[in-house]
Structure formats: C-alpha cells, structure tokens
Amino acid sequence: METEMLRLVKKAKKGNKEAFVSLIKQNESLLYRVARSILQNDNDCLDAIQESILKAYQNIETVREPKYFKTWIVRIVMNECYSMQRLKRKVVPLEKTEEPSFKDTTSETMIIHEAIDALHEDFRRVILLFYFEDLSIKDIASLLEIPESTVKTRLHRARNQLDTWLTNTDKGGCSNG
C-alpha cells in the first residue's frame, strides 16, 4: 500500500485529480482525528478539513518527498485548525452549545474517548498520533516541531492522567485529573 501511495502522490503532483482524490480518501479519517483533537467541534473540524484539502490541492507540487505526503497534509490540517482557533478567540459566542459527535457505542470505548477528550490539547494530540495513527516518537516530534524528549514527556504525562482519570471513573468518580 505504501508504494501505491507514493505512486498516487507522484501522479497528483503532475496534476492528476483522481490521484489526489484517492489520497484524500485514504487519509480522511486521519485528517478528521487530527482536526478533532485540536478543535473538538465536528462542524469546525469539517470546515478545517475542507479548507486544508483545498490548500493541499493548490500546493500539491510543493511536496518534496512523496513518502512524506501524510505528514505534509497533517501539518496543513493542524495549521488550519490553529488558525481557526485564533479567529474564534477573537469572537465572543452568544451561547456555548455542545456539538454531538460520533462515538463508538461500547461503554468502554466511550469512557476511553471521554478520558482522551479530557486531556490538555498537547497531551491529547500526542496520544492520538502515537496510539491511533501509529506514528513514531520521531515522526510526532517532526510533525509537531518539538523535541523528541518533549513528545516522550507528554506521552508519559498523558498516560498518567489517563490512568488517574480511568481509575477514578472505575470507582464511580468523574474527575478530569
């Protein structure tokens, strides 16, 4: 599959629209999870992803190494999400409502998602990239533009917070640790 992705990236760089669409379809769940880890609102996530896809399409020729396409497009999504966050800070909402989001129906999975959502954004991001996207510590450090030691520290602290949160949940409490 890796060589298929490289072939698609090369075709997309040459202007092949179908190849670009295939690349986006292969990575759409990754893009959503990354956006969701930053924005935590489904509508904002979808807006950020849509804008990111447009930017990626307009700049596909700037991908230097096809093997880094996934990292490249994740960086675009993250930047778009951060941009949206900055804009939202300037706007005072009339009312704050919780957007419904898709969650697995098993209670154990819901508890884990709730625990991850309760983490600070920096911790949540490294947990999602490491465990759900199977990125290495080195790749996460490169993607987030932070030292590998910082990634390790954030993973350690996030694991501790998750452990505390899940332990308190098991005892009937709902502490956000």
Side-chain angles (χ1 to χ4, degrees), residues 67-159:
K67 66 182 178 180
Y68 295 122
F69 174 80
K70 189 185 278 190
T71 304
W72 177 78
I73 196 159
V74 165
R75 171 56 60 193
I76 292 172
V77 170
M78 290 173 64
N79 288 339
E80 190 60 34
C81 290
Y82 294 141
S83 178
M84 286 182 74
Q85 277 183 330
R86 283 190 298 276
L87 286 173
K88 282 201 173 256
R89 283 187 200 127
K90 294 178 184 178
V91 177
V92 178
L94 293 175
E95 62 182 79
K96 186 175 179 176
T97 58
E98 186 68 27
E99 292 290 325
S101 66
F102 171 79
K103 297 209 182 215
D104 196 311
T105 55
T106 65
S107 63
E108 198 170 285
T109 303
M110 287 177 64
I111 290 169
I112 292 169
H113 282 286
E114 190 176 335
I116 292 170
D117 284 347
L119 290 172
H120 182 274
E121 180 181 325
D122 291 339
F123 296 162
R124 184 174 54 249
R125 192 172 307 121
V126 295
I127 287 288
L128 291 171
L129 292 172
F130 187 77
Y131 288 106
F132 293 85
E133 301 308 327
D134 293 323
L135 292 180
S136 69
I137 288 173
K138 182 179 180 180
D139 289 342
I140 295 170
S142 173
L143 183 66
L144 299 178
E145 297 175 347
I146 58 176
E148 287 181 37
S149 59
T150 303
V151 174
K152 291 176 185 176
T153 300
R154 288 180 183 176
L155 277 170
H156 177 74
R157 290 180 180 166
R159 288 180 193 124

